[in-house]
Each structure stands twice: as C-alpha cells, then as structure tokens.
C-alpha cells in the first residue's frame, strides 16, 4: 500500500517561539514567558534541555479553553506577576504562541495596562515578541527576539540617546570610527544560533585582535554551565545588560548570517537607527568563510591575524590534503538552518565532497542564490530545497544515492532507512551526547568537523567491508 502523504511531513525546522526562548536565554538576568498553553512551554523546555543538558525554565500564561474564548489578558498579567515574584529578573521576554496570536490578544496593550496598575513592575524591562508558530520557524523567532531586545535596550530604547553620535558616512574605516567614537576595542557580535563552544571560540578570536565584543545572544555559559556549588534560579552569564544598552555606541557590528531580511537583522537595526557600521558575513564554517571572518577583523581593526590562528589555518590545509583521498567524490546531503546549510555546503565543496541535496525548512531567494553561486561550477548541481520537510529530504537523498547526511539528529530515521551514516552537527542533537560542545566555526572548528567527517566515512566503509582496517 502506498504511504499517505500530506503537504508537510516532519518539517525541517522548529517552532518560532522556541527560537525566541533561546535568544532570551543569552541575556544576563533574563527570563522568558510564553503567552500560550502549558504544553508549549513544556515542549520547549524538553527540546532545549535534551540538546544542552541543562535545566531550562520557561514560564507560561497557561491559556486554556476559557481564555481561547474570552481572551488571555488576565492570565498574561498574572503570569508576569508570578515570574517577577519567583525569579526577580531584570529583563522578561514575552513571546506569543499560535493560540495567543489566533485569538488576537494585544500583548503590548496588556503589558501597558499592567504597568499602570502596578508601577513597581516598571523596574523590569519587559520585551514582547510576536512569534506565531504557523508563520516562520525557530530562526525567525530567534532573530525577532534579538532585534526586540535591541529596540528596548540599545540607547535605553531611545532613538536619539544622550551621547549618540552622528550617523556614519559610507566607507568610513573602523580606525576612524573608533577614534571618532572613543570606543576603540568595542564591537558588537551577532553570531546567530551557534553552539556555546562556538561562542567561546569566537570571543577568544576577537580578544586576540584586541576586541572586547558585546555578544548577543551569549549562551556560552547559560546553556553550557559549570557546577560550583551555588544554585541560582537564573543561570549566570549571558550578554550584559549595560553592554547591550551601549551597543549603539560601538564603531561596528559583525553579524553571521545573510539570509534573514533587514527587519530581522540586529546589525542592520543598529546601523539604521544609530549609524553603527554593519558587516554581515556567512557563518565562518570551513576555510573559505573563516577567511572572510578573519579578513573582516583585520580590516576593521587594522591588525594582522595573530600567528596562532595562522598556524591553525595551516594545520587545516594540511589536514584537507591528507583527507582528500577519503573524501573526494563522496555524495552528501546537508540540511538544517538556512545559513548553516550555506556555510556547510561551502566547506564540503572545498573538501571535494559533492553536495547532492542542500535543504532547509527556512530559506528564501537569498538562500537559494547563495547556494547556486557556491555550486554552479560543479558537474552535478545539487537539489536545492527551501521551506522543505524531512519527507522531501528523504526522497531526494534516496534518488541521489547519497553516501552520508550532515545535520541534526532529526534526520536519523533517514540515515537508518538508507543505510548511510549521519554526521551530527547544528541543532538539535537529541540522540548523542555533547551537542552543545561541538565546535563548528573558524579554522579550529573546521578541523574538528573534518576529522569527524573523515572518520565517519572510514567507519562506514569498514561496516560495509565487515572488517576493520589495520592501518590506512
């Protein structure tokens, strides 16, 4: 009997408010409340904890059948009071869900009414974000939350804050910007959704150029914490609130990811409102895009790349030469967030691996154009899928006779069905340990991924042969 099929089966993306929860987790002393049913927050706590292996608190306004008919304003007000009483956050994100959006609750008006009723709550920065799951995916919610945080905090939420400088003329160098703003060493980094290990590495790289970055969001500690004997309801770490408030004074911002529209770009928001120079780059995965990141740092700071990073690049090139005989011509399926797929495709092309399917549950015209530019010189063009689901990915992978898959653990069932290995990268990874510590970015991350790819392919060949290699 033929399998039944509907328009979307197991989408290759997660829900929009989940992305907002992840972004708020990367801000100092913050909590998030979902305006929706309890099931939404339960699902997201479970989904985030399973990858990061950390306890995650997400509050809920606990809407039920009555609120679906009569509105959820009273629940939202009580939910905010409860969170403030239990957690005492400095900033509270309020993300909506499908239910709240469908019944048409006016969240901003409800929060304004609550502030009038209880002026003491004005001490807390409450940031509402509209994140209906039926419109977009988790990266939309992630980016929406980052922009909303800046709207509320950068320049203290004032479009013309005291100390704000004139708008920056196009083509002005970082050196001139830094001197004119007396902020040498300051810079904003909007890394997108990368792992805590990636964030620690990126801060290390920027520090080696003399930069003290304001990273938003910064989940390097809040979602990969330490046990030191203390217990706090809100984990320590995250982007400091005072640094976010002064982000409008930085000479420049670097943002990873170029597929989101202007309205979802934190760097373009600061550039448009405050004249902070924006440099939007692809996620620095692989040698080509890591080069772009280091070239940007050299250009913005006027400093050469330190020797330790040059040496890491050299080791990566050496490893690429050594691994070429194992990797060349292998056929790979890449799936995940749009910017992750673009960056990983670039890396695979440089390694001599043939991308046969490049797929994302998000993505649009810019995403497809970037992939076409990366692959149009190949003899075999890969199938490029945007807004897709795992049913389509499975079918395309089967047709393409793929050798391996690269992406989250959500593709595990495809790998098992096709009898090919899955290299786990990105988010979420629920069926293995240490997903939060996978380093993807920079020369160091590329070498880590190269070893992982090569050894996975070798292990797969051994499994087919039925015996192991004595030496290679």
């Amino acid at each position: 009997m033929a399998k039944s099929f509907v328009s979307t089966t197991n989408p290759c993306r997660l829900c929009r408010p989940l992305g907002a929860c992840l972004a708020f987790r990367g801000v100092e002393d913050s909590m998030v409340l979902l305006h929706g049913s309890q099931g939404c927050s339960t699902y997201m706590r479970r989904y985030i904890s399973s990858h990061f292996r950390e306890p995650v608190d997400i509050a809920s306004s606990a809407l039920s059948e009555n609120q679906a008919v009569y509105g959820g304003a009273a629940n939202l007000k009580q939910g905010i009071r409860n969170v403030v009483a239990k957690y005492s956050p400095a900033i509270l994100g309020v993300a909506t869900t499908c239910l709240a959006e469908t019944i048409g609750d006016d969240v901003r008006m409800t929060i304004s009414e609550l502030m009038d009723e209880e002026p003491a709550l004005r001490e807390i920065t409450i940031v509402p974000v509209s994140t209906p799951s039926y419109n977009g995916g988790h990266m939309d919610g992630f980016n929406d939350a980052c922009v909303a945080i800046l709207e509320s905090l950068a320049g203290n939420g004032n479009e013309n804050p005291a100390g704000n400088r004139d708008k920056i003329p196009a083509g002005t160098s970082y050196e001139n910007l830094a001197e004119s703003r007396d902020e040498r060493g300051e810079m904003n980094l909007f890394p997108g959704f990368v792992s805590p290990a990636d964030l620690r590495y990126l801060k290390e790289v920027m520090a080696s150029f003399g930069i003290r970055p304001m990273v938003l969001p910064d989940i390097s500690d809040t979602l990969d914490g330490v046990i030191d004997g203390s217990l706090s309801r809100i984990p320590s770490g995250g982007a400091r609130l005072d640094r976010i408030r002064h982000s409008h004074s930085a000479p420049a911002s670097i943002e990873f990811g170029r597929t989101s529209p202007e309205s979802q770009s934190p760097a373009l928001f600061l550039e448009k409102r405050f004249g902070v120079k924006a440099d939007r780059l692809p996620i620095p995965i692989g040698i080509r895009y890591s080069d772009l990141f280091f070239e940007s740092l050299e250009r913005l700071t006027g400093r050469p790349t330190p020797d330790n990073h040059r040496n890491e690049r050299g080791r990566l090139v050496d490893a690429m030469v050594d691994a070429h005989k194992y990797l060349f011509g292998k056929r790979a399926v890449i799936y995940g967030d749009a910017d992750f797929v673009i960056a990983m495709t670039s890396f695979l092309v440089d390694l001599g691996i043939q991308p046969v399917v490049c797929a994302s549950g998000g993505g649009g015209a810019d995403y497809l154009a970037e992939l076409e530019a990366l692959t149009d010189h190949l003899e075999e063009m890969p199938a490029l899928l945007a807004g897709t689901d795992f049913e389509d990915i499975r079918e395309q992978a089967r047709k393409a006779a793929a050798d391996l898959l690269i992406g989250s653990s959500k593709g595990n069932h495809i790998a098992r069905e096709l009898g090919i290995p899955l290299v786990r990268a990105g988010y979420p990874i629920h069926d293995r340990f240490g997903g939060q510590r996978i380093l993807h970015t920079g020369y160091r991350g590329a070498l880590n991924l190269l070893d992982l790819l090569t050894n996975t392919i070798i292990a797969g060949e051994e499994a087919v042969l039925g015996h192991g290699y004595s030496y290679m």
Side-chain angles (χ1 to χ4, degrees):
M1 178 183 294
K3 291 183 178 179
S4 60
F5 182 75
V6 294
S7 57
T8 298
T9 303
N10 194 5
C12 184
R13 64 184 182 191
L14 308 174
C15 76
R16 192 164 185 158
L18 185 146
C21 292
L22 287 164
F24 281 110
R25 186 75 173 191
V27 178
E28 175 189 43
D29 203 10
S30 70
M31 262 294 291
V32 63
L33 183 150
L34 286 183
H35 187 35
S37 67
Q38 287 183 320
C40 293
S41 60
T42 302
Y43 149 68
M44 290 176 210
R45 285 196 297 266
R46 176 72 179 86
Y47 224 84
I48 296 172
S49 289
S50 181
H51 175 91
F52 292 100
R53 313 285 172 172
E54 296 286 355
V56 175
D57 285 359
I58 298 174
S60 171
S61 59
L63 301 184
S64 63
E65 292 86 348
N66 283 342
Q67 288 75 45
V69 176
Y70 299 109
N75 279 49
L76 177 57
K77 290 178 181 179
Q78 189 57 47
I80 292 173
R81 293 188 192 100
N82 291 343
V83 172
V84 172
K86 295 292 184 182
Y87 292 88
S88 301
I91 177 171
L92 173 62
V94 177
T96 57
T97 62
C98 300
L99 176 56
E101 294 282 349
T102 301
I103 64 178
D105 270 0
D106 190 332
V107 172
R108 291 182 182 275
M109 185 184 73
T110 302
I111 293 173
S112 178
E113 288 177 354
L114 182 61
M115 296 297 105
D116 291 338
E117 294 165 7
E118 301 185 33
L121 292 176
R122 294 184 184 278
E123 297 295 320
I124 299 162
T125 301
I126 300 179
V127 182
V129 190
S130 175
T131 52
S133 252
Y134 47 73
N135 181 17
H138 63 288
M139 287 310 301
D140 295 290
F142 184 93
N143 292 325
D144 288 339
C146 290
V147 173
I149 292 166
L150 289 174
E151 284 180 332
S152 295
L153 294 180
N156 288 318
N158 189 338
E159 294 191 22
N160 296 292
N164 187 31
R165 275 69 167 192
D166 295 334
K167 295 293 178 66
I168 305 300
T172 305
S173 68
Y174 173 86
E175 290 81 359
N176 291 335
L177 286 169
E179 290 174 1
S180 67
R181 293 195 167 199
D182 194 25
E183 297 285 358
R184 182 172 287 277
E186 299 286 334
M187 193 179 294
N188 303 316
L189 174 64
F190 302 110
F193 185 21
V194 294
S195 74
D198 287 321
L199 292 173
R200 289 191 286 269
Y201 168 77
L202 294 169
K203 287 190 284 188
E204 174 190 328
V205 169
M206 297 184 78
S208 70
F209 279 85
I211 297 170
R212 192 169 67 100
M214 189 291 292
V215 182
L216 180 69
D218 183 357
I219 58 172
S220 59
D221 292 321
T222 58
L223 284 174
D224 192 19
V226 300
I227 292 179
D228 59 4
S230 63
L231 177 64
S232 174
R233 287 182 179 272
I234 298 177
S236 60
R240 282 174 39 188
L241 296 176
D242 61 329
R243 300 288 310 279
I244 301 174
R245 290 192 174 97
H246 286 90
S247 59
H248 69 292
S249 295
S253 303
I254 291 178
E255 178 178 316
F256 294 146
R258 298 191 292 199
T259 62
S260 58
E262 179 179 336
S263 61
Q264 293 182 333
S265 166
L268 292 181
F269 168 79
L270 288 180
E271 183 174 71
K272 186 175 181 180
R273 177 171 289 190
F274 302 111
V276 180
K277 186 181 178 68
D279 196 4
R280 301 183 81 194
L281 304 171
I283 301 174
I285 294 176
I287 194 164
R288 187 185 325 191
Y289 287 170
S290 294
D291 283 347
L292 292 180
F293 175 45
F294 280 89
E295 288 167 8
S296 176
L297 292 175
E298 288 184 345
R299 184 173 61 252
L300 289 170
T301 65
R303 297 184 179 187
T305 297
D307 287 343
N308 59 323
H309 300 302
R310 291 185 180 279
N311 290 338
E312 286 186 340
R313 187 184 191 281
R315 291 189 196 96
L316 172 61
V317 173
D318 181 62
M320 290 170 68
V321 173
D322 294 341
H324 192 253
K325 60 182 178 181
Y326 306 113
L327 303 180
F328 181 77
K330 297 297 181 186
R331 302 168 65 79
V333 174
I334 310 111
Y335 60 87
D337 300 338
D339 286 298
F340 169 82
V341 171
I342 291 170
M344 188 60 76
T345 299
S346 165
F347 187 34
L348 296 190
V349 169
D350 289 342
L351 291 175
I353 295 177
Q354 168 69 49
V356 291
V357 181
C358 304
S360 176
D366 291 342
Y367 156 79
L368 293 173
E370 292 252 9
L371 287 174
E372 288 175 0
L374 286 170
T375 57
D376 64 357
H377 67 286
L378 300 177
E379 292 184 3
E380 177 184 351
M381 278 293 290
L384 308 181
L385 306 178
T388 192
D389 61 15
F390 280 99
E391 183 68 18
D392 281 341
I393 295 172
R394 183 190 65 81
E395 186 60 23
Q396 291 292 337
R398 185 187 61 76
K399 289 180 181 177
D403 295 312
L404 75 160
L405 285 84
I406 302 170
S408 71
S409 62
K410 291 192 70 177
N412 189 22
H413 66 289
I414 301 175
R416 295 172 68 86
E417 179 182 332
L418 300 182
I420 58 177
L422 167 62
V423 175
R424 290 163 177 80
Y427 177 87
I429 296 174
H430 290 161
D431 61 349
R432 291 291 187 275
F433 187 75
Q436 75 275 39
R437 287 184 288 277
I438 295 178
L439 180 62
H440 307 78
T441 53
Y443 304 128
R444 198 181 301 169
L447 189 56
N448 176 53
L449 292 174
L450 175 61
D451 289 343
L452 183 61
L453 280 166
T454 307
N455 288 326
T456 299
I457 288 172
I458 292 172
E461 291 176 350
E462 286 179 330
V464 172
L465 289 171
H467 61 80
Y469 295 114
S470 298
Y471 65 91
M472 302 186 70

